[in-house]
PDB file of all heavy atoms in Angstrom:
ATOM      1  N   GLU A 129       4.061  12.785 -42.948  1.00 98.00           N
ATOM      2  CA  GLU A 129       4.802  13.818 -42.227  1.00 98.00           C
ATOM      3  C   GLU A 129       4.402  13.773 -40.755  1.00 98.00           C
ATOM      4  O   GLU A 129       3.223  14.002 -40.418  1.00 98.00           O
ATOM      5  CB  GLU A 129       4.488  15.198 -42.810  1.00 98.00           C
ATOM      6  CG  GLU A 129       5.097  15.445 -44.175  1.00 98.00           C
ATOM      7  CD  GLU A 129       6.616  15.646 -44.074  1.00 98.00           C
ATOM      8  OE1 GLU A 129       7.071  16.285 -43.112  1.00 98.00           O
ATOM      9  OE2 GLU A 129       7.327  15.133 -44.965  1.00 98.00           O
ATOM     10  N   VAL A 130       5.357  13.459 -39.874  1.00 98.00           N
ATOM     11  CA  VAL A 130       5.057  13.278 -38.453  1.00 98.00           C
ATOM     12  C   VAL A 130       5.773  14.352 -37.632  1.00 98.00           C
ATOM     13  O   VAL A 130       6.987  14.561 -37.767  1.00 98.00           O
ATOM     14  CB  VAL A 130       5.488  11.883 -37.970  1.00 98.00           C
ATOM     15  CG1 VAL A 130       5.211  11.743 -36.472  1.00 98.00           C
ATOM     16  CG2 VAL A 130       4.761  10.794 -38.747  1.00 98.00           C
ATOM     17  N   TYR A 131       5.000  15.013 -36.768  1.00 98.00           N
ATOM     18  CA  TYR A 131       5.528  16.058 -35.896  1.00 98.00           C
ATOM     19  C   TYR A 131       5.153  15.717 -34.456  1.00 98.00           C
ATOM     20  O   TYR A 131       3.990  15.427 -34.165  1.00 98.00           O
ATOM     21  CB  TYR A 131       4.951  17.416 -36.273  1.00 98.00           C
ATOM     22  CG  TYR A 131       5.331  17.865 -37.666  1.00 98.00           C
ATOM     23  CD1 TYR A 131       4.623  17.389 -38.777  1.00 98.00           C
ATOM     24  CD2 TYR A 131       6.383  18.745 -37.866  1.00 98.00           C
ATOM     25  CE1 TYR A 131       4.964  17.786 -40.061  1.00 98.00           C
ATOM     26  CE2 TYR A 131       6.733  19.140 -39.155  1.00 98.00           C
ATOM     27  CZ  TYR A 131       6.028  18.661 -40.239  1.00 98.00           C
ATOM     28  OH  TYR A 131       6.382  19.048 -41.505  1.00 98.00           O
ATOM     29  N   VAL A 132       6.136  15.756 -33.561  1.00 98.00           N
ATOM     30  CA  VAL A 132       5.932  15.359 -32.162  1.00 98.00           C
ATOM     31  C   VAL A 132       6.419  16.473 -31.239  1.00 98.00           C
ATOM     32  O   VAL A 132       7.503  17.031 -31.445  1.00 98.00           O
ATOM     33  CB  VAL A 132       6.697  14.056 -31.845  1.00 98.00           C
ATOM     34  CG1 VAL A 132       6.688  13.770 -30.341  1.00 98.00           C
ATOM     35  CG2 VAL A 132       6.110  12.884 -32.616  1.00 98.00           C
ATOM     36  N   VAL A 133       5.608  16.789 -30.223  1.00 98.00           N
ATOM     37  CA  VAL A 133       5.993  17.726 -29.160  1.00 98.00           C
ATOM     38  C   VAL A 133       5.792  17.024 -27.823  1.00 98.00           C
ATOM     39  O   VAL A 133       4.742  16.427 -27.596  1.00 98.00           O
ATOM     40  CB  VAL A 133       5.146  19.014 -29.193  1.00 98.00           C
ATOM     41  CG1 VAL A 133       5.565  19.955 -28.058  1.00 98.00           C
ATOM     42  CG2 VAL A 133       5.264  19.716 -30.534  1.00 98.00           C
ATOM     43  N   TYR A 134       6.804  17.095 -26.952  1.00 98.00           N
ATOM     44  CA  TYR A 134       6.619  16.563 -25.595  1.00 98.00           C
ATOM     45  C   TYR A 134       7.323  17.481 -24.609  1.00 98.00           C
ATOM     46  O   TYR A 134       8.268  18.201 -24.970  1.00 98.00           O
ATOM     47  CB  TYR A 134       7.134  15.125 -25.473  1.00 98.00           C
ATOM     48  CG  TYR A 134       8.637  14.969 -25.533  1.00 98.00           C
ATOM     49  CD1 TYR A 134       9.401  14.926 -24.369  1.00 98.00           C
ATOM     50  CD2 TYR A 134       9.303  14.856 -26.759  1.00 98.00           C
ATOM     51  CE1 TYR A 134      10.778  14.778 -24.421  1.00 98.00           C
ATOM     52  CE2 TYR A 134      10.674  14.709 -26.821  1.00 98.00           C
ATOM     53  CZ  TYR A 134      11.410  14.670 -25.648  1.00 98.00           C
ATOM     54  OH  TYR A 134      12.781  14.538 -25.693  1.00 98.00           O
ATOM     55  N   ASP A 135       6.856  17.484 -23.375  1.00 98.00           N
ATOM     56  CA  ASP A 135       7.404  18.362 -22.342  1.00 98.00           C
ATOM     57  C   ASP A 135       8.634  17.717 -21.701  1.00 98.00           C
ATOM     58  O   ASP A 135       8.555  16.608 -21.164  1.00 98.00           O
ATOM     59  CB  ASP A 135       6.349  18.660 -21.278  1.00 98.00           C
ATOM     60  CG  ASP A 135       6.800  19.732 -20.305  1.00 98.00           C
ATOM     61  OD1 ASP A 135       6.575  20.914 -20.595  1.00 98.00           O
ATOM     62  OD2 ASP A 135       7.409  19.382 -19.274  1.00 98.00           O
ATOM     63  N   GLY A 136       9.759  18.428 -21.731  1.00 97.00           N
ATOM     64  CA  GLY A 136      10.996  17.875 -21.207  1.00 97.00           C
ATOM     65  C   GLY A 136      10.964  17.654 -19.715  1.00 97.00           C
ATOM     66  O   GLY A 136      11.437  16.625 -19.212  1.00 97.00           O
ATOM     67  N   PHE A 137      10.401  18.585 -18.954  1.00 95.00           N
ATOM     68  CA  PHE A 137      10.387  18.457 -17.496  1.00 95.00           C
ATOM     69  C   PHE A 137       9.521  17.300 -17.042  1.00 95.00           C
ATOM     70  O   PHE A 137       9.905  16.528 -16.159  1.00 95.00           O
ATOM     71  CB  PHE A 137       9.890  19.759 -16.871  1.00 95.00           C
ATOM     72  CG  PHE A 137       9.842  19.722 -15.372  1.00 95.00           C
ATOM     73  CD1 PHE A 137      10.981  19.930 -14.629  1.00 95.00           C
ATOM     74  CD2 PHE A 137       8.642  19.476 -14.710  1.00 95.00           C
ATOM     75  CE1 PHE A 137      10.949  19.885 -13.241  1.00 95.00           C
ATOM     76  CE2 PHE A 137       8.589  19.432 -13.330  1.00 95.00           C
ATOM     77  CZ  PHE A 137       9.751  19.638 -12.585  1.00 95.00           C
ATOM     78  N   ALA A 138       8.349  17.162 -17.640  1.00 96.00           N
ATOM     79  CA  ALA A 138       7.418  16.104 -17.229  1.00 96.00           C
ATOM     80  C   ALA A 138       7.969  14.717 -17.507  1.00 96.00           C
ATOM     81  O   ALA A 138       7.513  13.739 -16.902  1.00 96.00           O
ATOM     82  CB  ALA A 138       6.084  16.280 -17.944  1.00 96.00           C
ATOM     83  N   ASN A 139       8.952  14.621 -18.402  1.00 97.00           N
ATOM     84  CA  ASN A 139       9.488  13.317 -18.783  1.00 97.00           C
ATOM     85  C   ASN A 139      10.936  13.116 -18.350  1.00 97.00           C
ATOM     86  O   ASN A 139      11.655  12.284 -18.926  1.00 97.00           O
ATOM     87  CB  ASN A 139       9.365  13.146 -20.305  1.00 97.00           C
ATOM     88  CG  ASN A 139       7.921  13.059 -20.748  1.00 97.00           C
ATOM     89  OD1 ASN A 139       7.261  12.043 -20.584  1.00 97.00           O
ATOM     90  ND2 ASN A 139       7.409  14.160 -21.297  1.00 97.00           N
ATOM     91  N   LEU A 140      11.361  13.842 -17.316  1.00 96.00           N
ATOM     92  CA  LEU A 140      12.729  13.683 -16.832  1.00 96.00           C
ATOM     93  C   LEU A 140      13.008  12.268 -16.334  1.00 96.00           C
ATOM     94  O   LEU A 140      14.142  11.800 -16.388  1.00 96.00           O
ATOM     95  CB  LEU A 140      13.007  14.685 -15.709  1.00 96.00           C
ATOM     96  CG  LEU A 140      13.209  16.148 -16.139  1.00 96.00           C
ATOM     97  CD1 LEU A 140      13.368  17.043 -14.922  1.00 96.00           C
ATOM     98  CD2 LEU A 140      14.428  16.269 -17.046  1.00 96.00           C
ATOM     99  N   VAL A 141      11.971  11.584 -15.843  1.00 96.00           N
ATOM    100  CA  VAL A 141      12.162  10.223 -15.323  1.00 96.00           C
ATOM    101  C   VAL A 141      12.158   9.176 -16.433  1.00 96.00           C
ATOM    102  O   VAL A 141      12.432   8.008 -16.185  1.00 96.00           O
ATOM    103  CB  VAL A 141      11.088   9.876 -14.274  1.00 96.00           C
ATOM    104  CG1 VAL A 141      11.191  10.805 -13.078  1.00 96.00           C
ATOM    105  CG2 VAL A 141       9.689   9.949 -14.877  1.00 96.00           C
ATOM    106  N   VAL A 142      11.813   9.592 -17.657  1.00 97.00           N
ATOM    107  CA  VAL A 142      11.806   8.674 -18.799  1.00 97.00           C
ATOM    108  C   VAL A 142      13.189   8.716 -19.457  1.00 97.00           C
ATOM    109  O   VAL A 142      13.705   9.804 -19.730  1.00 97.00           O
ATOM    110  CB  VAL A 142      10.725   9.065 -19.825  1.00 97.00           C
ATOM    111  CG1 VAL A 142      10.723   8.110 -21.001  1.00 97.00           C
ATOM    112  CG2 VAL A 142       9.357   9.106 -19.150  1.00 97.00           C
ATOM    113  N   PRO A 143      13.824   7.563 -19.704  1.00 96.00           N
ATOM    114  CA  PRO A 143      15.147   7.571 -20.344  1.00 96.00           C
ATOM    115  C   PRO A 143      15.120   8.364 -21.649  1.00 96.00           C
ATOM    116  O   PRO A 143      14.216   8.187 -22.472  1.00 96.00           O
ATOM    117  CB  PRO A 143      15.423   6.083 -20.601  1.00 96.00           C
ATOM    118  CG  PRO A 143      14.578   5.360 -19.600  1.00 96.00           C
ATOM    119  CD  PRO A 143      13.351   6.194 -19.414  1.00 96.00           C
ATOM    120  N   GLN A 144      16.093   9.238 -21.833  1.00 93.00           N
ATOM    121  CA  GLN A 144      16.120  10.063 -23.035  1.00 93.00           C
ATOM    122  C   GLN A 144      16.246   9.232 -24.304  1.00 93.00           C
ATOM    123  O   GLN A 144      15.834   9.664 -25.386  1.00 93.00           O
ATOM    124  CB  GLN A 144      17.267  11.070 -22.944  1.00 93.00           C
ATOM    125  CG  GLN A 144      16.960  12.258 -22.057  1.00 93.00           C
ATOM    126  CD  GLN A 144      15.699  12.997 -22.500  1.00 93.00           C
ATOM    127  OE1 GLN A 144      15.629  13.535 -23.602  1.00 93.00           O
ATOM    128  NE2 GLN A 144      14.680  12.998 -21.632  1.00 93.00           N
ATOM    129  N   SER A 145      16.789   8.040 -24.162  1.00 96.00           N
ATOM    130  CA  SER A 145      16.910   7.165 -25.332  1.00 96.00           C
ATOM    131  C   SER A 145      15.537   6.812 -25.905  1.00 96.00           C
ATOM    132  O   SER A 145      15.417   6.525 -27.096  1.00 96.00           O
ATOM    133  CB  SER A 145      17.656   5.887 -24.962  1.00 96.00           C
ATOM    134  OG  SER A 145      16.979   5.191 -23.914  1.00 96.00           O
ATOM    135  N   PHE A 146      14.509   6.848 -25.045  1.00 97.00           N
ATOM    136  CA  PHE A 146      13.164   6.531 -25.527  1.00 97.00           C
ATOM    137  C   PHE A 146      12.704   7.534 -26.575  1.00 97.00           C
ATOM    138  O   PHE A 146      11.931   7.201 -27.469  1.00 97.00           O
ATOM    139  CB  PHE A 146      12.170   6.517 -24.358  1.00 97.00           C
ATOM    140  CG  PHE A 146      10.740   6.324 -24.769  1.00 97.00           C
ATOM    141  CD1 PHE A 146      10.266   5.063 -25.116  1.00 97.00           C
ATOM    142  CD2 PHE A 146       9.864   7.403 -24.847  1.00 97.00           C
ATOM    143  CE1 PHE A 146       8.945   4.887 -25.520  1.00 97.00           C
ATOM    144  CE2 PHE A 146       8.551   7.234 -25.238  1.00 97.00           C
ATOM    145  CZ  PHE A 146       8.089   5.965 -25.577  1.00 97.00           C
ATOM    146  N   PHE A 147      13.170   8.775 -26.468  1.00 97.00           N
ATOM    147  CA  PHE A 147      12.723   9.820 -27.375  1.00 97.00           C
ATOM    148  C   PHE A 147      13.637   9.975 -28.597  1.00 97.00           C
ATOM    149  O   PHE A 147      13.619  11.014 -29.254  1.00 97.00           O
ATOM    150  CB  PHE A 147      12.609  11.148 -26.618  1.00 97.00           C
ATOM    151  CG  PHE A 147      11.526  11.134 -25.570  1.00 97.00           C
ATOM    152  CD1 PHE A 147      11.836  11.007 -24.229  1.00 97.00           C
ATOM    153  CD2 PHE A 147      10.196  11.213 -25.930  1.00 97.00           C
ATOM    154  CE1 PHE A 147      10.845  10.979 -23.261  1.00 97.00           C
ATOM    155  CE2 PHE A 147       9.185  11.190 -24.977  1.00 97.00           C
ATOM    156  CZ  PHE A 147       9.509  11.070 -23.634  1.00 97.00           C
ATOM    157  N   HIS A 148      14.405   8.941 -28.888  1.00 97.00           N
ATOM    158  CA  HIS A 148      15.178   8.910 -30.128  1.00 97.00           C
ATOM    159  C   HIS A 148      14.311   8.284 -31.214  1.00 97.00           C
ATOM    160  O   HIS A 148      13.979   7.096 -31.161  1.00 97.00           O
ATOM    161  CB  HIS A 148      16.461   8.099 -29.942  1.00 97.00           C
ATOM    162  CG  HIS A 148      17.429   8.742 -29.005  1.00 97.00           C
ATOM    163  ND1 HIS A 148      18.514   8.065 -28.470  1.00 97.00           N
ATOM    164  CD2 HIS A 148      17.478  10.002 -28.494  1.00 97.00           C
ATOM    165  CE1 HIS A 148      19.181   8.866 -27.675  1.00 97.00           C
ATOM    166  NE2 HIS A 148      18.567  10.054 -27.669  1.00 97.00           N
ATOM    167  N   PHE A 149      13.913   9.076 -32.179  1.00 97.00           N
ATOM    168  CA  PHE A 149      13.021   8.630 -33.251  1.00 97.00           C
ATOM    169  C   PHE A 149      13.784   8.561 -34.570  1.00 97.00           C
ATOM    170  O   PHE A 149      14.869   9.146 -34.706  1.00 97.00           O
ATOM    171  CB  PHE A 149      11.844   9.608 -33.390  1.00 97.00           C
ATOM    172  CG  PHE A 149      10.916   9.623 -32.208  1.00 97.00           C
ATOM    173  CD1 PHE A 149      11.123  10.513 -31.152  1.00 97.00           C
ATOM    174  CD2 PHE A 149       9.837   8.763 -32.150  1.00 97.00           C
ATOM    175  CE1 PHE A 149      10.272  10.535 -30.064  1.00 97.00           C
ATOM    176  CE2 PHE A 149       8.970   8.790 -31.058  1.00 97.00           C
ATOM    177  CZ  PHE A 149       9.187   9.667 -30.027  1.00 97.00           C
ATOM    178  N   PRO A 150      13.212   7.864 -35.559  1.00 96.00           N
ATOM    179  CA  PRO A 150      13.815   7.876 -36.894  1.00 96.00           C
ATOM    180  C   PRO A 150      13.956   9.315 -37.389  1.00 96.00           C
ATOM    181  O   PRO A 150      13.174  10.191 -37.010  1.00 96.00           O
ATOM    182  CB  PRO A 150      12.813   7.079 -37.743  1.00 96.00           C
ATOM    183  CG  PRO A 150      12.095   6.214 -36.769  1.00 96.00           C
ATOM    184  CD  PRO A 150      12.009   7.006 -35.494  1.00 96.00           C
ATOM    185  N   PRO A 151      14.939   9.599 -38.238  1.00 96.00           N
ATOM    186  CA  PRO A 151      15.197  10.979 -38.684  1.00 96.00           C
ATOM    187  C   PRO A 151      14.020  11.619 -39.409  1.00 96.00           C
ATOM    188  O   PRO A 151      13.931  12.851 -39.481  1.00 96.00           O
ATOM    189  CB  PRO A 151      16.407  10.822 -39.612  1.00 96.00           C
ATOM    190  CG  PRO A 151      16.449   9.372 -39.977  1.00 96.00           C
ATOM    191  CD  PRO A 151      15.887   8.634 -38.807  1.00 96.00           C
ATOM    192  N   GLN A 152      13.103  10.815 -39.946  1.00 97.00           N
ATOM    193  CA  GLN A 152      11.944  11.389 -40.650  1.00 97.00           C
ATOM    194  C   GLN A 152      10.955  12.044 -39.692  1.00 97.00           C
ATOM    195  O   GLN A 152      10.108  12.842 -40.101  1.00 97.00           O
ATOM    196  CB  GLN A 152      11.197  10.315 -41.453  1.00 97.00           C
ATOM    197  CG  GLN A 152      12.073   9.543 -42.431  1.00 97.00           C
ATOM    198  CD  GLN A 152      12.476   8.205 -41.828  1.00 97.00           C
ATOM    199  OE1 GLN A 152      12.999   8.139 -40.715  1.00 97.00           O
ATOM    200  NE2 GLN A 152      12.219   7.134 -42.573  1.00 97.00           N
ATOM    201  N   VAL A 153      11.015  11.682 -38.389  1.00 98.00           N
ATOM    202  CA  VAL A 153      10.081  12.228 -37.400  1.00 98.00           C
ATOM    203  C   VAL A 153      10.636  13.554 -36.875  1.00 98.00           C
ATOM    204  O   VAL A 153      11.762  13.617 -36.375  1.00 98.00           O
ATOM    205  CB  VAL A 153       9.870  11.249 -36.237  1.00 98.00           C
ATOM    206  CG1 VAL A 153       8.914  11.849 -35.195  1.00 98.00           C
ATOM    207  CG2 VAL A 153       9.337   9.921 -36.739  1.00 98.00           C
ATOM    208  N   HIS A 154       9.852  14.609 -36.988  1.00 98.00           N
ATOM    209  CA  HIS A 154      10.254  15.923 -36.480  1.00 98.00           C
ATOM    210  C   HIS A 154       9.861  16.010 -35.006  1.00 98.00           C
ATOM    211  O   HIS A 154       8.671  15.897 -34.665  1.00 98.00           O
ATOM    212  CB  HIS A 154       9.569  17.035 -37.269  1.00 98.00           C
ATOM    213  CG  HIS A 154       9.777  16.933 -38.745  1.00 98.00           C
ATOM    214  ND1 HIS A 154      10.991  17.176 -39.352  1.00 98.00           N
ATOM    215  CD2 HIS A 154       8.917  16.596 -39.751  1.00 98.00           C
ATOM    216  CE1 HIS A 154      10.883  17.007 -40.646  1.00 98.00           C
ATOM    217  NE2 HIS A 154       9.633  16.650 -40.925  1.00 98.00           N
ATOM    218  N   VAL A 155      10.844  16.194 -34.128  1.00 98.00           N
ATOM    219  CA  VAL A 155      10.596  16.157 -32.681  1.00 98.00           C
ATOM    220  C   VAL A 155      10.976  17.487 -32.044  1.00 98.00           C
ATOM    221  O   VAL A 155      12.084  18.003 -32.253  1.00 98.00           O
ATOM    222  CB  VAL A 155      11.398  15.019 -32.010  1.00 98.00           C
ATOM    223  CG1 VAL A 155      11.125  14.992 -30.510  1.00 98.00           C
ATOM    224  CG2 VAL A 155      11.050  13.678 -32.647  1.00 98.00           C
ATOM    225  N   LEU A 156      10.063  18.045 -31.254  1.00 98.00           N
ATOM    226  CA  LEU A 156      10.311  19.270 -30.506  1.00 98.00           C
ATOM    227  C   LEU A 156      10.169  18.946 -29.021  1.00 98.00           C
ATOM    228  O   LEU A 156       9.089  18.597 -28.554  1.00 98.00           O
ATOM    229  CB  LEU A 156       9.329  20.361 -30.912  1.00 98.00           C
ATOM    230  CG  LEU A 156       9.611  21.800 -30.479  1.00 98.00           C
ATOM    231  CD1 LEU A 156       8.804  22.784 -31.332  1.00 98.00           C
ATOM    232  CD2 LEU A 156       9.286  22.052 -29.005  1.00 98.00           C
ATOM    233  N   ARG A 157      11.271  19.058 -28.303  1.00 98.00           N
ATOM    234  CA  ARG A 157      11.259  18.835 -26.852  1.00 98.00           C
ATOM    235  C   ARG A 157      11.108  20.186 -26.173  1.00 98.00           C
ATOM    236  O   ARG A 157      12.009  21.013 -26.237  1.00 98.00           O
ATOM    237  CB  ARG A 157      12.552  18.153 -26.414  1.00 98.00           C
ATOM    238  CG  ARG A 157      12.663  17.900 -24.912  1.00 98.00           C
ATOM    239  CD  ARG A 157      13.981  17.178 -24.610  1.00 98.00           C
ATOM    240  NE  ARG A 157      14.109  16.831 -23.203  1.00 98.00           N
ATOM    241  CZ  ARG A 157      14.756  17.582 -22.290  1.00 98.00           C
ATOM    242  NH1 ARG A 157      15.308  18.738 -22.669  1.00 98.00           N
ATOM    243  NH2 ARG A 157      14.834  17.192 -21.039  1.00 98.00           N
ATOM    244  N   PHE A 158       9.948  20.408 -25.548  1.00 97.00           N
ATOM    245  CA  PHE A 158       9.762  21.662 -24.828  1.00 97.00           C
ATOM    246  C   PHE A 158      10.745  21.659 -23.657  1.00 97.00           C
ATOM    247  O   PHE A 158      10.778  20.710 -22.868  1.00 97.00           O
ATOM    248  CB  PHE A 158       8.326  21.777 -24.324  1.00 97.00           C
ATOM    249  CG  PHE A 158       7.946  23.166 -23.919  1.00 97.00           C
ATOM    250  CD1 PHE A 158       7.735  24.153 -24.867  1.00 97.00           C
ATOM    251  CD2 PHE A 158       7.798  23.493 -22.579  1.00 97.00           C
ATOM    252  CE1 PHE A 158       7.376  25.443 -24.496  1.00 97.00           C
ATOM    253  CE2 PHE A 158       7.443  24.770 -22.196  1.00 97.00           C
ATOM    254  CZ  PHE A 158       7.234  25.753 -23.155  1.00 97.00           C
ATOM    255  N   PRO A 159      11.587  22.690 -23.519  1.00 95.00           N
ATOM    256  CA  PRO A 159      12.728  22.621 -22.600  1.00 95.00           C
ATOM    257  C   PRO A 159      12.341  22.322 -21.156  1.00 95.00           C
ATOM    258  O   PRO A 159      11.369  22.858 -20.629  1.00 95.00           O
ATOM    259  CB  PRO A 159      13.381  24.006 -22.734  1.00 95.00           C
ATOM    260  CG  PRO A 159      12.393  24.855 -23.436  1.00 95.00           C
ATOM    261  CD  PRO A 159      11.508  23.976 -24.228  1.00 95.00           C
ATOM    262  N   ALA A 160      13.158  21.454 -20.531  1.00 93.00           N
ATOM    263  CA  ALA A 160      12.906  21.065 -19.144  1.00 93.00           C
ATOM    264  C   ALA A 160      13.158  22.221 -18.190  1.00 93.00           C
ATOM    265  O   ALA A 160      12.396  22.452 -17.247  1.00 93.00           O
ATOM    266  CB  ALA A 160      13.776  19.869 -18.771  1.00 93.00           C
ATOM    267  N   LEU A 161      14.245  22.953 -18.409  1.00 88.00           N
ATOM    268  CA  LEU A 161      14.585  24.084 -17.555  1.00 88.00           C
ATOM    269  C   LEU A 161      14.304  25.374 -18.315  1.00 88.00           C
ATOM    270  O   LEU A 161      14.818  25.575 -19.412  1.00 88.00           O
ATOM    271  CB  LEU A 161      16.059  24.018 -17.141  1.00 88.00           C
ATOM    272  CG  LEU A 161      16.455  22.804 -16.305  1.00 88.00           C
ATOM    273  CD1 LEU A 161      17.944  22.828 -16.016  1.00 88.00           C
ATOM    274  CD2 LEU A 161      15.662  22.756 -15.003  1.00 88.00           C
TER     275      LEU A 161
END
Side-chain angles (χ1 to χ4, degrees):
E129 288 288 321
V130 178
Y131 297 82
V132 170
V133 179
Y134 70 94
D135 189 88
F137 180 81
N139 293 284
L140 285 176
V141 298
V142 180
Q144 282 303 298
S145 59
F146 175 77
F147 294 103
H148 293 166
F149 293 91
Q152 305 99 307
V153 179
H154 306 289
V155 180
L156 193 162
R157 179 178 184 265
F158 196 73
L161 297 177

